[in-house]
Amino acid sequence: MDLNDVVGYTLRIGVIISIVLILIGFVFLYRDKDFNELVSPYSRINTSVINPNSVPTNAFSGNGLDLILLGLMVLIATPVARVLIGIIQFARERNIIYTIITIVVFFNLMLAIFILPFFIH
């Protein structure tokens, strides 16, 4: 199996897992008595105050909103994994320019995902 196959499977599996998590989360959320309040455009739910570290724990305990957020996290992580595989692919091909460019892209993604949110709060 070459890396193009790995990239294809990574993207497909990431999207499928995220869709399944979001659908299960929606079903769990629909069963919740506060569903109408959650889906209202005037909802008081603010996802920016939810701690991302607690999402996996709460998701596996059956919280629908956290399952949806976990599905979105998987969806965001899927193209990040594709960039990481791209670094490996270009390094194996000894393409120095594209390896450096892909490392810069990966660094920018990590900066935007993990570092910048601490400065925004």
Side-chain angles (χ1 to χ4, degrees), residues 6-7 10-11 14 26 29 40 42 53 61 65 74 81-82 87-88 91 93 101-102 104 112 121:
V6 173
V7 168
T10 301
L11 295 175
F26 186 76
L29 194 62
S40 167
Y42 306 107
N53 295 330
S61 66
L65 183 60
V74 170
R82 195 281 174 247
I87 293 171
I88 296 168
E93 295 172 356
I101 291 171
T102 311
V104 169
H121 284 272

Side-chain angles (χ1 to χ4, degrees), residues 50-119:
I50 295 174
N51 183 0
N53 295 330
S54 67
V55 168
T57 306
N58 293 339
F60 291 115
S61 66
N63 186 324
L65 183 60
D66 286 317
L67 271 167
I68 292 172
L69 291 174
L70 183 63
L72 292 175
M73 289 174 153
V74 170
L75 192 62
I76 291 169
T78 302
V80 173
R82 195 281 174 247
V83 172
L84 187 62
I85 294 170
I87 293 171
I88 296 168
Q89 185 177 17
F90 290 129
R92 285 181 62 185
E93 295 172 356
R94 301 188 191 284
N95 190 336
I96 303 299
I97 298 294
Y98 281 107
T99 302
I100 292 171
I101 291 171
T102 311
I103 288 172
V104 169
V105 169
F106 186 75
F107 176 77
N108 287 341
L109 286 170
M110 294 297 104
L111 185 73
I113 292 172
F114 294 110
I115 306 298
L116 289 180
F118 289 111
F119 293 111

